[in-house]
Amino acid sequence: KCLRILDERSLQMHSDFTKHKKECLQHPENKRDANVLDVFSGIGCGIVALKRIGISIDRVFHVDHHKAARFVYSYNHVHGFGGGAPDDGIEHICGLCTDFQELKDNLKEVVKKYGPFDIILGGPPCNEWSGINARRKGVDSESGSLILQFAKLINKVKKYNQKYHDVNHRTYFFCENVPEVGKVSEIENTFGISAFKVDAKTWGPCFRERAFFFNWEPNTVPEVDSVAKGTSCLKDGWKMPVNATTRGIDEKARTLLASYGRIGDPSTMYKARVKEGVDVASKYAPGADIGAEDLEYNLFETGDRERLMGLPEGYVEKPVIDLFSNIKRALLVATDGTKWCDTVHPRYWGLGLSLGPGRYKINMLRDSYDFVLGIEEKNSGQVFKDYELAWHFLGNGFSVPQVQALLMPLQDVFKKRDYAGYTKEPFYWDSDASFSYLASLN
């Protein structure tokens, strides 16, 4: 385990949190609902984690540049949006500031009107910090500098919270990124605390080492990693390939990535199972590797990846399919000159504006035409099909069990509330069925 350096500033921050927690325990009537500022929020994994631990939330101000990611978030959390989300009692403000720069430019007004913000979440882009990027430039690049800008924004929010709302207001922040950022003293100094480094495998099946910046004392981290393995998130007889062949890529296969070239990497992102009709017991000795000729392979599907990341099944897959199918149908209907936006619900309009020449293509199939629709990712210019976009979002997301464990101490300083489908819901590998399934494989 590689955790936080307990220097003087870390110990002081832990002491301040312990004092606040003690005050809340002595006077629970002073606990409040949380206003959350969710920056670089993507599909909302941070909100999923807060709901799972039962933090009572009054308002979420959601900021992300990707229109389709905002669609996924709203589909799952905003009552009446169209995804069937129940009324969770939260005011969701999604799309008012559509990117980080717009939030920075309007921060004072946002905090005055929608604050004070009690919890600030953020996962700035990591591509310019990641060790797998041989050309990374870190803080010297535009996207790499966003983590430093985010730390500065947090300090401004604190100041505005106290200036416009309550001079004694406490603001808690939580930032996630790759481990390399924890080596930069300028970033640590701006956050005012050293990085907390830990791998997601401590709490779930994913291998995902990350650096976190947060200003409270975490709960004790287990010394032994989670018993959940990749196979415990698969269905229908599929297994992680490490025990199916001698290729030994289990760790890589359990590390979901977001880049276009890696989301469907056939050398790592695949699962295996015995072909139908193969009698393993008579052909192989107990514990022996099964020959490749007796196995079939497939890439991890969206549901597999959702379970690995600790998200509810369908959290990404359902809204992405809904989005693509409706825009695709609208484009087909609109071939007679009708504006495509006249044929779909207004929730799709903003997304359709990013479609145009080169954003989709037409394939000829025997007797009919079929649209293979793609949505362009703003920064990279890559065009994603529906399942590719879902995989991209999941690779960019937080590991929910990891983030949930680190956020857990906030239960002691905020009011509590149960959220249907989230609070007290077991992860897939925690259910009796999955344990029985896992036991049947050994």
Side-chain angles (χ1 to χ4, degrees), residues 102-127:
E102 189 173 2
L103 176 64
K104 282 178 58 181
D105 292 344
N106 297 279
L107 186 64
K108 184 185 296 185
E109 291 74 19
V110 168
V111 177
K112 285 176 69 174
K113 184 173 182 179
Y114 299 103
F117 289 111
D118 305 288
I119 301 172
I120 306 172
L121 305 175
C126 65
N127 55 303

Side-chain angles (χ1 to χ4, degrees), residues 94 129 183 238 257 346 436:
C94 185
W129 292 99
K183 302 173 184 177
W238 291 103
L257 301 173
S436 297

Side-chain angles (χ1 to χ4, degrees), residues 117-297:
F117 289 111
D118 305 288
I119 301 172
I120 306 172
L121 305 175
C126 65
N127 55 303
E128 288 292 348
W129 292 99
S130 176
I132 63 175
N133 179 6
R135 299 180 180 180
R136 61 190 181 278
K137 297 180 180 179
V139 76
D140 295 324
S141 66
E142 182 179 356
S143 66
S145 69
L146 288 174
I147 187 170
L148 186 58
Q149 294 182 53
F150 180 54
K152 293 177 179 178
L153 180 135
I154 289 170
N155 292 328
K156 285 187 176 181
V157 172
K158 290 180 182 179
K159 182 180 72 173
Y160 293 149
N161 276 341
Q162 294 180 347
K163 181 177 181 179
Y164 297 114
H165 297 282
D166 179 0
V167 69
N168 296 313
H169 187 270
R170 297 174 185 267
T171 306
Y172 292 104
F173 63 82
F174 183 87
C175 177
E176 181 256 24
N177 214 285
V178 293
E180 286 78 4
V181 301
K183 302 173 184 177
V184 182
S185 59
E186 183 182 9
I187 294 175
E188 290 196 340
N189 291 337
T190 307
F191 278 110
I193 196 164
S194 57
F196 186 96
K197 300 177 184 178
V198 67
D199 200 307
K201 67 180 180 179
T202 303
W203 295 282
C206 271
F207 282 66
R208 202 174 188 83
E209 187 180 5
R210 287 293 183 267
F212 298 90
F213 296 94
F214 53 90
N215 56 337
W216 58 84
E217 184 176 9
N219 290 341
T220 302
V221 175
E223 294 185 6
V224 179
D225 290 338
S226 167
V227 298
K229 304 300 180 187
T231 294
S232 62
C233 293
L234 304 179
K235 294 182 175 181
D236 302 323
W238 291 103
K239 298 182 181 182
M240 300 296 284
V242 65
N243 291 323
T245 71
T246 56
R247 299 173 72 173
I249 62 164
D250 189 55
E251 291 196 17
K252 289 184 178 180
R254 289 161 64 187
T255 304
L256 301 184
L257 301 173
S259 64
Y260 185 81
R262 292 178 180 270
I263 54 173
D265 183 356
S267 66
T268 57
M269 297 290 102
Y270 75 95
K271 54 188 178 179
R273 69 179 175 187
V274 177
K275 291 180 179 177
E276 187 175 354
V278 175
D279 187 347
V280 174
S282 63
K283 189 172 182 179
Y284 295 96
D289 290 327
I290 299 173
E293 71 279 4
D294 290 328
L295 297 170
E296 59 179 330
Y297 302 91

Side-chain angles (χ1 to χ4, degrees), residues 368-383:
S368 63
Y369 290 91
D370 181 45
F371 271 104
V372 179
L373 186 67
I375 288 183
E376 183 172 354
E377 208 281 328
K378 180 180 177 181
N379 293 330
S380 68
Q382 297 287 354
V383 179

